Amino acid sequence: MCGRYALTLPHDAMAQVFSAAPANDLPIGPRWNICPTTQVPVVRGGNGGRALVSMRWGFLPTWYDTPTAGPLLINARAETIARKPAFRDACRSRRCLIPATGFYEWTKTAEGTRLPWYFHDPSGAPLVFAGIWQDWGPDRFATCAIVSCAAGPTMAEVHHREPVTLAPSDWALWLGEGEGKAAPLMRAAPPDRIVRYRVARAVNSSRAEGPELIDPLVDDGDK
């Protein structure tokens, strides 16, 4: 699962990494505590090539009358994405890349205290989540969700789900630019792609921001 993440790459760097034309309305960054329902940078394909655009994180099916007419769909399960009415069309034809510097997940103490962990690529390269998108409403407001799968070894000790992360060699296939089926890409990351460490509980607040949120926790007295 993924319910919070960080993105510190500048827009021009993302445009270069993904060979994508940047839109003019990209959300201001960097961000160290991105929460659902906010606008996030997303890479999508098309006949004119790749574009780096802004989308609301929180997928809105076409039959929602309002953004709050149903559950908040920030993740789409890989195991059922091709069958769920909300996601199946997007899974076939509206796939996207959602870049991140890293993401957060939580464990709990016996007393119920939530302890945050930060997951990232050990090389410092961005993580790229497999995503799907959907235009919603008369203004065709773009929305997206992150595809999740059963957790791999790195993630399983913290949470039973993880976001599907894509290697650069898989980006074109996920976007529908290459030959082959994208379904095999919806799997847990190899052990060398993601590492984790504890961070301070300040990130537990959705209002918290700043680079200190991803600093490794040195003093465990913060528990």
Side-chain angles (χ1 to χ4, degrees):
M1 182 173 176
C2 183
R4 301 267 196 88
Y5 69 95
L7 178 60
T8 62
L9 286 174
H11 297 157
D12 57 350
M14 284 189 283
Q16 184 174 1
V17 166
F18 296 105
S19 300
N24 295 324
D25 62 344
L26 292 169
I28 296 173
R31 296 287 308 279
W32 286 272
N33 191 13
I34 296 174
C35 302
T37 74
T38 59
Q39 295 294 120
V40 297
V42 172
V43 178
R44 70 182 183 191
N47 294 333
R50 295 179 185 176
L52 179 66
V53 300
S54 178
M55 293 190 185
R56 174 194 189 262
W57 181 24
F59 189 98
L60 295 176
T62 55
W63 58 83
Y64 277 22
D65 294 329
T66 69
T68 57
L72 180 59
L73 304 175
I74 63 171
N75 297 133
R77 294 175 66 94
E79 297 87 347
T80 58
I81 193 172
R83 302 194 305 273
K84 289 283 187 179
F87 301 134
R88 62 191 177 200
D89 289 343
C91 179
R92 295 188 188 104
S93 59
R94 292 188 299 279
R95 298 191 294 266
C96 60
L97 308 176
I98 303 177
T101 305
F103 66 95
Y104 303 96
E105 194 50 79
W106 283 260
T107 52
K108 282 187 179 181
T109 67
E111 295 77 25
T113 302
R114 298 175 75 233
L115 306 179
W117 295 81
Y118 182 67
F119 293 79
H120 66 101
D121 187 309
S123 74
L127 295 174
V128 178
F129 303 142
I132 55 173
W133 64 275
Q134 170 72 58
D135 282 338
W136 177 83
D139 296 328
R140 300 186 64 78
F141 181 57
T143 69
C144 65
I146 295 169
V147 181
S148 72
C149 64
T154 303
M155 189 75 192
E157 295 179 0
V158 176
H159 198 273
H160 66 286
R161 305 287 297 177
E162 70 175 71
V164 172
T165 56
L166 301 172
S169 58
D170 295 327
W171 296 349
L173 180 56
W174 183 255
L175 289 175
E177 299 169 351
E179 297 295 329
K181 296 183 177 180
L185 302 179
M186 293 189 287
R187 61 183 184 274
D192 61 349
R193 185 179 297 163
I194 298 177
V195 295
R196 72 176 190 263
Y197 56 80
R198 273 270 283 118
V199 293
R201 286 190 294 154
V203 77
N204 289 7
S205 169
S206 62
R207 295 185 296 275
E209 260 297 346
E212 67 278 3
L213 295 181
I214 64 172
D215 287 344
L217 182 64
V218 176
D219 180 7
D220 241 12
D222 174 76
K223 289 180 181 179

